[in-house]
């Protein structure tokens, strides 16, 4: 799943624009979702996504987490994280993470 879709292109800008908004997405919103995935907390990640618009298709991530836990995983490993802002700064951007179970 993609993470936070932020900015006027997505109709979601609760923290305005600029570097403060980017920091909020990275350090709070996306991190909150990622932490729940890493801890194999599918209920928590669904709640976080619904409350904070931190992921689209969060159900797919929850299903992956539940399946990995059922197969013996105890934790995820964050391989990489970035936003499209890191590649091409702008008022609208999306977060992405690679997680290994």
């Amino acid at each position: 799943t993609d993470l936070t879709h932020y900015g006027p292109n997505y109709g979601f800008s609760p923290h305005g624009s600029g570097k403060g908004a980017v920091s909020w997405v990275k350090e709070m919103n996306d991190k909150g979702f990622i932490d729940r995935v890493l801890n194999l907390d599918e209920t928590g990640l669904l709640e976080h996504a619904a409350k904070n618009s931190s992921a689209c298709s969060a159900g797919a991530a929850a299903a992956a987490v539940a399946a990995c836990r059922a197969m013996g995983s105890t934790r995820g490993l964050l391989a990489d994280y970035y936003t499209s802002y890191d590649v091409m700064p702008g008022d609208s951007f999306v977060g992405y993470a690679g997680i290994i179970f």
Side-chain angles (χ1 to χ4, degrees), residues 27-72:
E27 297 166 14
M28 298 297 294
N29 213 42
D30 284 355
K31 184 179 184 317
F33 183 83
I34 291 167
D35 286 349
R36 286 160 176 82
V37 174
L38 296 176
N39 288 312
L40 304 181
D41 178 7
E42 70 268 16
T43 301
L45 73 85
L46 288 169
E47 291 170 353
H48 192 276
K51 181 179 177 186
N52 301 291
S53 298
S54 57
C56 62
S57 303
V65 164
C68 289
R69 194 166 20 82
M71 291 187 292

Side-chain angles (χ1 to χ4, degrees), residues 58-78:
V65 164
C68 289
R69 194 166 20 82
M71 291 187 292
S73 292
T74 58
R75 182 150 175 79
L77 173 68
L78 182 63

